[in-house]
Amino acid sequence: MTEAASRLPVSRLGGPDARTVAKIDLGLSRRYAAERRFRAYGLAAVTIAICFLLVLFGSIVSKGYTAFQQTRVTMMVDFEPSIIAPDGDRSPKAIMSGNAFRFDDLIAASLQKTLEIDPNDEDGLYDALDLLSKGSTPMLRSMIANDPSLIGTKRTVDFYATGDVDAFVKGTIRADVPESQRLIKDKHIVLIDKLKTEGALHLAFNTGLFTNGASTRPETAGVGVALVGSLYMMLVVLVLSLPLGVAGSIYLEEFAPKNRWTDVIEVNINNLAAVPSIVYGLLGLAVFINFAHLPRSASLVGGLVLTLTTLPTIIITTRAALKAVPPSIREAGLGVGASKMQTVFHHVLPLAMPGVLTGTIIGLAHALGETAPLLMIGMKAFIVEYPATPFDPATALPTQIYMWATEPERAFTERTSAAIIVLLAFLLAMNSIAIILRRAFERRW
Amino acid sequence: MGPLWLLALIAGLSFFGFILGHWKSVVLSGKGRSTLAARPGYYGAYVLIWTAMPALLILVALSIARPLLAEHTVRANLPQQVLDNPTQLSLEISGVEQVAAGLKTATPEELENIRIGVVTARSVFAGHGLPLGEDVRPYQLIAASALNLVSDGLDTAVDIAVVAALAFGLIFAFMRVKPRLRARNLVENTVLALLIAASSVAVLTTIGIVLSLLFQALQFFSMVSPINFYFGTVWDPRFAAAGSTESGQFGFLPLFWGTIYISFFAMLVAVPIGLFSAVYMAEYATSKVRSIAKPLIEVLAGIPTIVYGFFALTTVGPLIRDYVAVPLGLGTSGNNVITAGLVMGIMIIPYVSSLSDDIITAVPRSLRDGSLALGATRSETMRQVIMPAALPGVVGAVLLAMSRAIGETMIVVLAAGVAARASLNPFAEMTTITVKIVNQLTGDLEFTSPQTLVAFALGITLFVITLGLNVLALTIVRKYREQYE
Amino acid sequence: MSAVQTATPFETVRTPDPASRPIKIHAAAVKVTYGQKEALHGVSIDIAEKAVTAFIGPSGCGKSTFLRCINRMNDTIAGARVEGTITLDDRNIYDPDLDVVELRARVGMVFQKPNPFPKSIFDNVAYGPRIHGLARSKADLEEIVVTSLQRASLFNEVKDRLNEPGTGLSGGQQQRLCIARAIAVSPEVILMDEPCSALDPIATAKVEELIDELRANFTIVIVTHSMQQAARVSQRTAFFHLGHLIEEGPTDHVFTNPLEQRTQDYITGRFG
């Protein structure tokens, strides 16, 4: 062993003899402090990013979870024939035509009974009517039209409370705020309390959120039409982009010669994947609607536009999946005398299929959340009726969210968040399927 | 027959053709199939292709030609003074189309009444649930009848052509099925052609984007000079009534400034957070932490932008307004540059982090080892060796993220505001190119007014900007990857 | 002279150093495991100061693994665990109190493939002195760079292009640049992991010449695949096989007169 530590430094560059071994100052404490700082920055960045995610989810869930329940008022309704069908005609057509106020009278009568309002107290009755959704009348009317045998019977009927009553019951409108700044007045609170003690007012699961179409009243607005529109669009996207994407990728990956033209396609596809989606909307507007005269707001057009936006993603993932199949498989196929086409379709494609499906599902998930291009082709219309075919006007889940997001009413904010939760649930489901598929079929070569 | 019926017919006959081809080849070969040049399925597919392809091609070609022919017919029947007014022309044409649709609903009796002038066409159409904006002018009626005549004729022509093509293809191919026919090669060549066609859809999309945007944008530039557009500092399009000749001011600069300013704040959030996350993931995180944190961060990229927009509108905007902007006296609006930039930055974090992570891990291990072996700490290695080596790739990642930010729509539509102004105050409401595209194309569209067409001029400008950024970024990243492969 | 013998696999046949150089590094029962797999099964060796020690052996015998233990480069591999002790000047380098940065400043390393940083030639060499703060001034730094390049026999070839990227040099020049980079930190020991395996014969000759010169000031440990190279540059040779150190002794002795059967089989080319 050398006595290195005892040697005297001669020159800075003289090798080990030249300096004291143990006492060189490498500035270690300073450097380790810098190391710790750097590491802390990294950890902070990861933490901040994850916190953003949690705050985002937290804010939306806390705003929206209440919308899955809704305040209902259950009352006994006397389906009085003399009011409903004064001329004795009980056909659905007769019920749907004529004076709508006669159904208001039915509701008023039920309210008077339930809340024990003096029949002469008109103000009291109007206050009570304020509590019920303005959609109650048409609801009752179509209920009778659908089932005329109700006429003459007595039945309990669930009515929607207004969005404001709903907010009050859920506590988002608070009673301790001065009355002038409150949408629910003291007189209404008295009535609500009375309904509660009667057992007529209760919270129930909000099925209307999933089944209703557009409405100006938050309590009767739902994402039903939007769900159907989105479903149609996803079908169009799936039917078009999966075969197109797979066929295009097969050509580019398996058959295309390596030349300038395929280079151009390659660059072009990568670039298309990064083109702002709103540009696709403009393309759809100019080509599908303005030139080809396809119907505006139709889910078919939405599907076509989304197909174009998703196609690059699907092609990129499919090509990656094809590339991952080792060349030995192709050689084996060709070796037994199969044609190139047979080799690709019999051996390579089946092996790449899990990757292709995963990519397609992720592409669909992206398409499902896409909003801007749909605004361009008019899928933000006020649509109450379910679209029967993809050619009919419809909305989509994200555009419905957009429309509701710009409504000022409190109850709409709650619904918007709920619609977002629905959308995110779909996305989560799709991504989980993709992950499960990948796990189940993952193959290491 | 409608197109759907034709498609069904084509599908049915093609399937029938497949069975015929298969059957004939089996019969021809007798028991020993060895004499066949291909497996029977290929003969079936051969007949199927010959049955379906010509008919489909004819159907597609005629469907494309149809609107062109229809428009030509309408133009040919319009009086000269209408044709001389190009800004009104497309309005006129759609007017005629409406009248034509109305004429189809009318009964023969009503048509006669219209012809002799007992009733107005407008009132008849309204009775059939087709309200018109104004009274029908006589030349419109003439053009509409001609249009109906031509489109009826076209419908019949399409039907006949498709059926003829089906019959011809089926019979021709069926006759040609012989044991010596090399059906497999023919089928495979057709499939290859289809594959090529599918791969060219991507190119067609790009061409479609460029042509359609350019066409409408050029129309806009014929009304507003490009100089006034690109160098104008005032955006005031004055949504005039349809057909009015009054045009506002279309200054692009305030929109451009808003876009850049918001993107700048987005990058200010996304680049440090994304980059440091990538560094942490690549260098420090244990595999367990990595397997949890990395997907969580990537979830940020999977959330639809409308969700971010809503989050900005209802949560971040009011917070910034109440706790920062108002106390500082800098603004009173929940819609502002900071809100949009911050939320957009959150959205972009994963774009920066995952691409940077890939790029950092692509730096060869030998460089890292070389530095560590010299006694460098991990952060020194990262800062002084790996980052400089990864820099081009990281720049590419940042440029791609920048392009995302510039083209992002829903966040700014909900959170940035609509006021086109160029101010330095980040708490002021500002607007972007994408917001104005959405604004200008909302409501009733009239493809002749500059108020609508400006959206396409904005669109093509946006496309060119992002295209430039993307191509630059992709080239840098590609070069970088090649360097270490 | 003595008859070839077969020792138990766990015992190393040692021939003492006739020159009786001082011992720089002393390793005792070093075991390395990667996850479940044990790659080194207890290696003990003394490495002489200011001499070249060559590690030879077939692929996967653990010679590189052992080399990487000496400056704790195995720490950078997830799942690697090192047992036993290695002392450098009587100080255990696996002592938790010992600083790995300081250790690596004293024990430099040159890798199989030349790995110049994507920086200029000057910055490559200046990198170590800069991070360790070894230069007091710019002139000082320049002096370190120039001296290191000179000692790596590279200076004359690159003196006109110090600001050009190091990656633009030829393979042999790159490897000498990496050696210059290592000696710029003034280490005491330089570890070389097959430094010539990626080089052509001429470049190899230059590097070997350089190694011989460096021996005057540094303790050098070199892993090599080439027995000729080991014979040319080293004073002592250690033969590794299947994670064991089989034989260790003066180079000429090991090559001309191995005491162990497996050593003889290897150097005569019966396996490897």
Side-chain angles (χ1 to χ4, degrees):
Chain A
M1 313 285 146
T2 57
E3 299 283 279
S6 68
R7 291 205 187 108
L8 287 171
V10 180
S11 144
R12 305 202 70 258
L13 279 162
D17 298 320
R19 58 171 210 221
T20 53
V21 167
K23 299 227 166 69
I24 43 164
D25 176 22
L26 300 178
L28 282 179
S29 57
R30 177 184 51 79
R31 287 168 64 192
Y32 278 122
E35 170 81 19
R36 276 192 301 276
R37 267 201 309 279
F38 191 71
R39 194 191 166 117
Y41 294 150
L43 188 61
V46 174
T47 319
I48 290 172
I50 292 176
C51 281
F52 278 144
L53 181 71
L54 296 180
V55 169
L56 177 66
F57 278 144
S59 124
I60 284 170
V61 170
S62 68
K63 282 200 179 79
Y65 77 98
T66 49
F68 292 97
Q69 284 206 317
Q70 191 180 24
T71 309
R72 306 269 172 85
V73 179
T74 310
M75 292 189 300
M76 184 66 80
V77 177
D78 188 355
F79 292 91
E80 174 60 46
S82 61
I83 297 177
I84 298 168
D87 50 1
D89 184 354
R90 292 182 177 192
S91 70
K93 201 175 173 196
I95 290 163
M96 290 311 283
S97 58
N99 189 352
F101 288 119
R102 62 191 200 268
F103 300 97
D104 284 343
D105 293 345
L106 291 184
I107 296 170
S110 301
L111 272 174
Q112 277 169 338
K113 214 176 213 172
T114 316
L115 287 170
E116 293 156 346
I117 301 168
D118 187 339
N120 298 321
D121 180 5
E122 278 209 359
D123 286 346
L125 179 62
Y126 283 129
D127 289 343
L129 277 168
D130 281 349
L131 302 181
L132 290 189
S133 166
K134 297 287 168 287
S136 304
T137 313
M139 186 195 85
L140 196 65
R141 187 176 193 163
S142 55
M143 185 176 162
I144 299 170
N146 287 337
D147 183 9
S149 68
L150 287 171
I151 300 170
T153 62
K154 282 187 177 187
R155 275 282 182 84
T156 56
V157 176
D158 260 10
F159 293 97
Y160 294 141
T162 64
D164 290 335
V165 171
D166 190 46
F168 177 78
V169 172
K170 288 170 184 167
T172 30
I173 293 179
R174 295 160 59 119
D176 51 11
V177 177
E179 188 181 3
S180 57
Q181 296 167 24
R182 199 176 337 115
L183 288 160
I184 293 288
K185 305 300 174 196
D186 289 343
K187 54 188 181 185
H188 297 131
I189 295 177
V190 174
L191 291 170
I192 290 170
D193 287 341
K194 185 144 193 206
L195 280 173
K196 268 189 193 159
T197 49
E198 297 283 326
L201 187 136
H202 61 105
L203 281 169
F205 183 71
N206 189 354
T207 44
L209 178 66
F210 298 95
T211 54
N212 290 345
S215 171
T216 47
R217 294 175 290 265
E219 66 272 10
T220 51
V223 294
V225 172
L227 279 177
V228 174
S230 278
L231 179 73
Y232 280 144
M233 285 197 293
M234 287 305 108
L235 284 179
V236 174
V237 175
L238 184 66
V239 164
L240 289 178
S241 69
L242 183 62
L244 271 181
V246 171
S249 321
I250 287 180
Y251 176 71
L252 292 174
E253 200 56 45
E254 304 287 336
F255 294 97
K258 266 265 150 233
N259 56 26
R260 276 192 81 84
W261 173 240
T262 44
D263 259 7
V264 167
I265 296 185
E266 172 105 41
V267 171
N268 179 44
I269 288 171
N270 282 330
N271 179 55
L272 276 182
V275 165
S277 59
I278 191 165
V279 171
Y280 285 97
L282 288 171
L283 170 76
L285 178 61
V287 173
F288 298 130
I289 291 179
N290 205 16
F291 177 73
H293 292 286
L294 289 171
R296 253 173 89 81
S297 309
S299 16
L300 174 75
V301 181
L304 287 174
V305 171
L306 292 184
T307 300
L308 294 182
T309 50
T310 344
L311 205 52
T313 325
I314 294 189
I315 292 182
I316 290 171
T317 47
T318 305
R319 290 188 66 180
L322 289 172
K323 213 175 266 174
V325 176
S328 60
I329 300 284
R330 295 177 184 82
E331 286 156 12
L334 296 174
V336 297
S339 71
K340 181 135 198 202
M341 192 71 74
Q342 287 170 325
T343 308
V344 169
F345 279 95
H346 296 171
H347 301 288
V348 179
L349 189 57
L351 288 173
M353 219 49 209
V356 174
L357 289 182
T358 312
T360 308
I361 293 171
I362 290 171
L364 279 182
H366 258 273
L368 182 61
E370 200 61 86
T371 321
L374 300 182
L375 296 183
M376 298 288 93
I377 54 160
M379 293 199 72
K380 70 178 223 71
F382 188 85
I383 291 158
V384 185
E385 294 294 320
Y386 279 78
T389 70
F391 293 92
D392 295 326
T395 54
L397 205 42
T399 47
Q400 188 70 61
I401 292 169
Y402 171 67
M403 286 186 280
W404 282 354
T406 45
E407 298 274 354
E409 287 164 65
R410 188 96 191 212
F412 267 118
T413 307
E414 185 196 34
R415 298 234 152 193
T416 316
S417 305
I420 288 177
I421 294 173
V422 173
L423 176 64
L424 291 179
F426 273 109
L427 294 181
L428 188 71
M430 289 167 89
N431 282 300
S432 310
I433 292 172
I435 290 170
I436 290 167
L437 259 182
R438 184 156 47 198
R439 291 258 164 88
F441 294 100
E442 195 170 44
R443 205 186 283 256
R444 292 239 167 259
W445 301 98
Chain B
M1 280 185 275
L4 284 179
W5 281 109
L6 283 177
L7 282 176
L9 185 69
I10 292 174
L13 274 180
S14 309
F15 181 66
F16 181 60
F18 179 87
I19 297 191
L20 275 185
H22 188 279
W23 170 77
K24 186 177 173 188
S25 68
V26 173
V27 169
L28 284 178
S29 70
K31 289 233 148 91
R33 288 183 187 177
S34 53
T35 52
L36 283 178
R39 309 254 310 143
Y42 283 104
Y43 291 94
Y46 174 76
V47 180
L48 182 147
I49 287 168
W50 265 102
T51 314
M53 290 286 273
L56 277 175
L57 286 177
I58 286 176
L59 186 61
V60 169
L62 286 179
S63 306
I64 292 172
R66 222 195 118 106
L68 297 174
L69 276 172
E71 196 177 320
H72 177 79
T73 313
V74 174
R75 275 167 191 264
N77 282 286
L78 285 177
Q80 192 57 41
Q81 74 264 28
V82 177
L83 291 172
D84 285 344
N85 188 354
T87 50
Q88 292 294 302
L89 191 58
S90 77
L91 196 67
E92 287 286 351
I93 289 173
S94 62
V96 171
E97 280 164 1
Q98 275 180 321
V99 173
L103 283 178
K104 278 188 183 170
T105 62
T107 60
E109 193 182 320
E110 284 167 338
L111 285 179
E112 183 60 22
N113 284 343
I114 293 170
R115 199 181 61 79
I116 57 174
V118 178
V119 292
T120 64
R122 188 182 177 186
S123 62
V124 172
F125 299 166
H128 290 286
L130 254 177
L132 291 186
E134 50 193 20
D135 279 332
V136 178
R137 286 181 286 275
Y139 67 82
Q140 284 184 315
L141 265 185
I142 297 168
S145 329
L147 175 63
N148 275 349
L149 207 63
V150 169
S151 47
D152 284 350
L154 273 173
D155 281 348
T156 321
V158 170
D159 288 355
I160 292 172
V162 168
V163 171
L166 280 172
F168 167 77
L170 181 60
I171 294 167
F172 174 79
F174 183 71
M175 303 294 282
R176 286 199 33 173
V177 171
K178 304 214 171 65
R180 304 288 288 281
L181 180 74
R182 303 179 67 173
R184 200 197 72 214
N185 300 31
L186 295 166
V187 170
E188 288 189 350
N189 286 341
T190 313
V191 172
L192 189 63
L194 287 176
L195 295 184
I196 294 176
S199 75
S200 60
V201 169
V203 180
L204 286 180
T205 308
T206 308
I207 297 173
I209 289 174
V210 172
L211 286 186
S212 62
L213 295 190
L214 205 58
F215 177 70
Q216 313 271 11
L218 285 179
Q219 266 190 293
F220 171 74
F221 286 132
S222 70
M223 300 176 213
V224 177
S225 98
I227 293 172
N228 287 347
F229 176 66
Y230 285 111
F231 297 101
T233 53
V234 178
W235 174 271
D236 180 17
R238 281 193 229 141
F239 243 116
S244 142
T245 47
E246 188 196 6
S247 71
Q249 282 176 284
F250 299 92
F252 173 71
L253 288 178
L255 310 188
F256 187 61
W257 169 250
T259 307
I260 295 297
Y261 203 29
I262 290 173
S263 306
F264 166 76
F265 277 105
M267 300 315 275
L268 213 58
V269 173
V271 171
I273 296 182
L275 215 51
F276 270 109
S277 308
V279 165
Y280 187 79
M281 294 292 177
E283 185 65 32
Y284 294 106
T286 60
S287 58
K288 198 167 177 187
V289 170
R290 197 181 150 96
S291 69
I292 295 170
K294 208 172 143 77
L296 272 183
I297 291 180
E298 273 161 19
V299 165
L300 286 172
I303 295 175
T305 56
I306 177 75
V307 179
Y308 284 104
F310 179 73
F311 177 61
L313 180 73
T314 56
T315 307
V316 180
L319 270 179
I320 286 182
R321 179 192 60 207
D322 297 344
Y323 292 98
V324 187
V326 172
L328 291 175
L330 288 170
T332 52
S333 171
N335 288 347
N336 55 51
V337 172
I338 288 274
T339 304
L342 172 67
V343 175
M344 197 190 278
I346 298 174
M347 180 197 87
I348 287 172
I349 290 171
Y351 291 99
V352 178
S353 75
S354 36
L355 198 50
S356 302
D357 189 356
D358 289 353
I359 279 159
I360 287 169
T361 32
V363 172
R365 208 190 146 79
S366 67
L367 286 184
R368 197 168 155 262
D369 281 355
S371 172
L372 291 176
L374 284 169
T377 61
R378 291 206 276 186
S379 63
E380 285 161 353
T381 304
M382 184 54 79
R383 279 199 312 247
Q384 299 187 32
V385 175
I386 297 180
M387 280 320 251
L391 195 63
V394 171
V395 169
V398 170
L399 285 180
L400 272 184
M402 182 89 190
S403 143
R404 287 265 163 202
I406 289 176
E408 170 44 40
T409 309
M410 293 323 294
I411 295 176
V412 282
V413 164
L414 286 175
V418 290
R421 69 160 74 97
S423 143
L424 275 175
N425 177 4
F427 296 99
E429 241 187 273
M430 270 182 228
T431 196
T432 69
I433 303 174
T434 49
V435 171
K436 283 303 164 198
I437 295 178
V438 171
N439 285 170
Q440 297 307 106
L441 289 181
T442 309
D444 279 334
L445 299 187
E446 193 38 69
F447 279 92
T448 49
S449 70
Q451 280 83 1
T452 304
L453 290 172
V454 69
F456 291 90
L458 290 172
I460 188 106
T461 313
L462 179 68
F463 179 72
V464 169
I465 295 173
T466 52
L467 179 81
L469 280 175
N470 294 343
V471 169
L472 185 65
L474 292 170
T475 318
I476 293 176
V477 171
R478 197 161 141 169
K479 280 239 172 75
Y480 169 79
R481 290 249 159 86
E482 277 163 8
Q483 182 193 334
Y484 290 122
E485 257 168 20
Chain C
M1 95 204 161
S2 64
V4 169
Q5 51 175 285
T6 306
T8 58
F10 306 108
E11 229 165 81
T12 308
V13 180
R14 293 171 209 279
T15 313
D17 192 356
S20 74
R21 295 180 182 86
I23 302 301
K24 183 71 179 174
I25 299 162
H26 171 78
V30 176
K31 279 187 184 181
V32 179
T33 40
Y34 295 120
Q36 297 295 313
K37 193 175 158 281
E38 195 172 83
L40 271 188
H41 313 294
V43 167
S44 304
I45 190 173
D46 287 339
I47 291 170
E49 188 175 32
K50 290 190 184 163
V52 179
T53 303
F55 291 173
I56 59 168
S59 302
C61 65
K63 54 192 190 302
S64 287
T65 303
F66 182 63
L67 188 78
R68 292 170 70 93
C69 290
I70 302 175
N71 70 344
R72 291 182 51 178
M73 279 305 279
N74 282 328
D75 292 13
T76 66
I77 298 167
R81 212 173 66 247
V82 180
E83 290 165 63
T85 54
I86 299 178
T87 57
L88 176 70
D89 293 337
D90 289 339
R91 179 83 201 270
N92 182 5
I93 65 168
Y94 282 92
D95 185 336
D97 286 345
L98 182 128
D99 190 276
V100 69
V101 164
E102 200 183 329
L103 170 73
R104 289 181 189 151
R106 291 172 59 187
V107 183
M109 188 159 188
V110 175
F111 295 84
Q112 193 167 356
K113 241 181 85 190
N115 56 352
F117 302 137
K119 297 168 178 280
S120 72
I121 293 170
F122 183 92
D123 286 338
N124 258 286
V125 182
Y127 177 72
R130 269 192 187 130
I131 56 169
H132 294 308
L134 298 182
R136 275 176 218 92
S137 64
K138 215 168 166 258
D140 207 6
L141 186 66
E142 270 166 30
E143 192 204 325
I144 296 176
V145 171
V146 169
T147 326
S148 307
L149 283 169
Q150 279 166 345
R151 300 183 70 176
S153 320
L154 188 62
F155 186 68
N156 289 333
E157 292 163 55
V158 299
K159 62 183 170 199
D160 302 325
R161 43 177 176 149
L162 288 177
N163 289 319
E164 282 171 35
T167 42
L169 297 173
S170 73
Q173 288 173 326
Q174 285 190 10
Q175 194 60 301
R176 279 179 285 146
L177 178 63
C178 293
I179 294 173
R181 188 175 71 188
I183 56 188
V185 192
S186 321
E188 297 149 47
V189 181
I190 301 176
L191 309 175
M192 298 188 175
D193 190 357
E194 302 189 31
C196 302
S197 64
L199 305 183
D200 62 57
I202 297 171
T204 302
K206 282 206 156 171
V207 172
E208 284 179 5
E209 213 174 289
L210 173 60
I211 293 171
D212 205 48
E213 282 165 25
L214 293 175
R215 167 161 72 92
N217 292 310
F218 302 94
T219 303
I220 293 175
V221 186
I222 177 170
V223 165
T224 175
H225 245 97
S226 149
M227 281 170 285
Q228 290 78 2
Q229 184 172 63
R232 282 194 298 268
V233 300
S234 70
Q235 282 72 55
R236 290 187 68 81
T237 295
F239 171 62
F240 284 74
H241 186 221
L242 297 176
H244 296 285
L245 174 59
I246 306 296
E247 178 163 358
E248 186 259 318
T251 297
D252 43 5
H253 189 95
V254 171
F255 276 96
T256 53
N257 209 353
L259 296 176
E260 228 280 350
Q261 184 64 48
R262 279 169 291 179
T263 317
Q264 195 181 39
D265 290 349
Y266 180 70
I267 59 178
T268 53
R270 267 186 225 158
F271 68 89

